[in-house]
Amino acid sequence: MIRSKASVVEQNKRYVCPDKIRIFNQIGIDLVIGRREGPYIYDLDGKKLIDVHINGGTYNLGHRHPEIVAAMREAVEMSIDIGNHHFPSPLRGELAQILVNLSPGDMKYCVFAAGGSEAVDIAIKSARHATQRKKIVSIDNGYHGRTGISGAAGNAKTAAFFLSDAPDDFLTVPFNDPAAMKNALENNDIAAVILETIPATLGFPLPENGYLGEVKLMCEKAGTLYIADEVQTGLARSGKIWAVEKFDVVPDILVTAKGLSGGMYPIAATILNEKAGAWLHQDGFAHVSTFGGSEIGCHVAKKVAEIISRPETLEHVNRISTYLKDALCALQNKHSFLVEVRQCGLIAGLKFDGDMGAVMMSKALYDNGVWAMFSGYDLSVLQFKPYLFTDNALVDALMEKLDQAMVQCTAGSGQ
Ligand SMILES: Cc1ncc(COP(=O)(O)O)c(C=O)c1O
């Protein structure tokens, strides 16, 4: 049955989330995603858009990557289903071994979850058990999810909305401020520091030279575990498998989600070193998740891991990132409206003039056939995240559309 866009919007407004629809409506974005393929999504009314939001990396490999679709089909044909999380499973064991081996440092275990927030909960619970400390340090306006625990480790206002803020146990410090971090750790009573390697919802500010390494050293001194939230930055987006590798940091715990699903079947994982994973020897039922590590998800994720591990994948990401960098630099020289380009591999934040600059650009790009989303905690920064297999022609098309959108946003302003 072909549904009209208006009827889909109306039904979702009534039964799913009225406020979200109202907000996008106010901005003038009425996207209802229909067909999707590679870097493209098609609005239900037929309009074609290049997707550079890619749901935070969920569509890292593009939409419906043929090998991922084939892996899904294969999983169904293998006569498997979600499986039973209490018993050993060949697929779960194989994926866990692959992820442990792909991770930096001396990781030992992999605990599966159904999504990123749950995987962050597992990371925090593991650090608390390992250190027998309760306090967690994160950065002001970091984003680690929306469950009770992961939400409390982020923006306090949002956690308070559901009365799940816990300011005595969840402390925050400004990003790129080693002195504030030192202060927070000085009583040796912090279980873990959790950091997105490049904080997405804050608009991808890049870690300053040496900052993450310094934080890791402070953690070691204070008996605190370092949790790398690589939900958005992992799986080859940065030009390395994990963005922490770019900054020479070896975490105690690493969280991956979104792109691990291949955009097809939900799965996330928390990868733990010996200290962080010791609880797995003590009480195997301390954390369980019916859908965590579902066997279909494991089969799909194994294919994701295989694709990102091919040497040609990282080679391509690094080559196209340089091409993108040069193209964005040329645009910045042309438009003073684009005040800053923050880029690490195919992770980019574009900062525009004015508090709402990125919201204006989101709308203008939407009108020009690109879906890019503003950063939730800094509305002047547009998240710009082309998928891994972006080629020169796609970068050129994106630059043309960015150029047009900037001309529209600044018409009559003299910029
Ligand atoms: C950095 C980061 N961590 C954790 C999460 C939570 O993941 P999920 O939405 O799958 O629960 C997100 C989601 O956007 C994220 O961006």
Side-chain angles (χ1 to χ4, degrees):
M1 187 182 67
I2 299 176
R3 297 266 312 270
S4 78
K5 210 166 133 167
S7 84
V8 175
V9 172
E10 202 40 52
Q11 189 178 47
N12 280 260
K13 196 164 152 188
R14 182 152 174 199
Y15 294 111
V16 183
C17 190
D19 185 59
K20 217 187 277 184
I21 288 181
R22 183 185 59 76
I23 289 170
F24 277 113
N25 204 28
Q26 253 175 15
I27 302 168
I29 293 173
D30 63 348
L31 176 63
V32 178
I33 302 174
R35 192 158 79 79
R36 50 211 93 169
E37 189 180 13
Y40 303 110
I41 49 179
Y42 295 80
D43 200 348
L44 216 54
D45 61 15
K47 182 179 163 145
K48 182 177 179 180
L49 297 137
I50 306 170
D51 185 5
V52 287
H53 173 223
I54 60 166
N55 257 32
T58 306
Y59 306 108
N60 215 11
L61 305 179
H63 291 268
R64 297 178 57 80
H65 186 286
E67 289 184 77
I68 299 298
V69 172
M72 267 299 286
R73 290 214 167 96
E74 220 171 70
V76 174
E77 292 306 317
M78 283 159 75
S79 298
I80 55 164
D81 51 20
I82 282 166
N84 184 325
H85 59 302
H86 289 315
F87 298 105
S89 137
L91 288 168
R92 209 174 301 129
E94 283 157 22
L95 179 62
Q97 186 174 356
I98 291 168
L99 289 176
V100 163
N101 289 339
L102 265 186
S103 298
D106 195 17
M107 293 300 189
K108 290 282 192 306
Y109 311 102
C110 180
V111 179
F112 290 109
S117 307
E118 185 192 347
V120 167
D121 281 10
I122 296 166
I124 290 176
K125 293 200 301 185
S126 300
R128 281 177 162 172
H129 180 82
T131 59
Q132 290 297 301
R133 301 173 181 175
K134 210 165 175 194
K135 291 182 182 172
I136 303 295
V137 173
S138 59
I139 60 152
D140 298 337
N141 291 320
Y143 185 93
H144 302 288
R146 287 283 197 244
T147 54
I149 296 179
S150 67
N155 177 287
K157 211 171 99 196
T158 345
F161 182 79
F162 286 116
L163 313 193
S164 46
D165 56 320
D168 291 342
D169 292 332
F170 290 88
L171 319 177
T172 65
V173 295
F175 189 56
N176 274 333
D177 185 340
M181 185 64 81
K182 190 164 176 239
N183 228 8
L185 297 181
E186 74 181 355
N187 293 335
N188 295 342
D189 61 348
I190 305 296
V193 169
I194 179 164
L195 286 176
E196 294 171 79
T197 309
I198 309 172
T201 314
L202 196 50
F204 293 124
L206 298 177
E208 277 164 17
N209 259 348
Y211 169 69
L212 295 178
E214 208 177 325
V215 172
K216 177 67 197 329
L217 281 178
M218 287 181 210
C219 285
E220 282 169 13
K221 243 175 100 186
T224 296
L225 300 189
Y226 183 111
I227 303 172
D229 181 339
E230 290 266 344
V231 169
Q232 291 229 13
T233 50
L235 304 170
R237 304 201 52 68
S238 67
K240 298 264 190 192
I241 300 286
W242 310 108
V244 274
E245 295 175 272
K246 279 230 129 154
F247 301 97
D248 293 321
V249 169
V250 177
D252 298 288
I253 301 175
L254 187 147
V255 180
T256 179
K258 290 193 188 272
L260 190 65
S261 68
M264 290 299 284
Y265 203 93
I267 186 159
T270 310
I271 302 158
L272 306 163
N273 69 10
E274 188 61 52
K275 180 170 183 187
W279 66 268
L280 292 160
H281 291 274
Q282 296 159 7
D283 183 352
F285 290 89
H287 179 88
V288 288
S289 167
T290 303
F291 293 156
S294 68
E295 293 190 46
I296 292 182
C298 287
H299 188 67
V300 170
K302 274 179 65 189
K303 183 54 75 177
V304 172
E306 182 196 320
I307 296 172
I308 61 154
S309 302
R310 291 175 189 152
E312 61 267 30
T313 303
L314 280 182
E315 272 162 33
H316 176 79
V317 170
N318 286 304
R319 192 196 63 72
I320 199 66
S321 300
T322 306
Y323 188 76
L324 177 69
K325 191 175 223 114
D326 293 344
L328 285 170
C329 182
L331 265 191
Q332 202 188 356
N333 289 336
K334 188 170 166 193
H335 293 274
S336 58
F337 182 50
L338 176 53
V339 294
E340 192 185 334
V341 174
R342 304 163 173 176
Q343 191 195 343
C344 175
L346 287 172
I347 302 161
L350 309 182
K351 186 171 172 62
F352 295 96
D353 197 19
D355 291 349
M356 298 288 281
V359 179
M360 288 164 64
M361 279 299 288
S362 235
K363 160 70 176 151
L365 282 167
Y366 177 65
D367 292 341
N368 281 286
V370 175
W371 172 230
M373 183 128 168
F374 42 89
S375 311
Y377 297 147
D378 185 346
L379 299 176
S380 69
V381 182
L382 190 75
Q383 297 183 336
F384 195 80
K385 305 172 276 194
Y387 83 135
L388 295 192
F389 303 112
T390 300
D391 58 13
N392 291 13
L394 192 68
V395 171
D396 296 345
L398 283 166
M399 293 307 114
E400 208 182 300
K401 288 169 187 297
L402 265 176
D403 190 16
Q404 281 162 3
M406 281 193 275
V407 169
Q408 283 163 16
C409 285
T410 54
S413 73
Q415 270 183 331

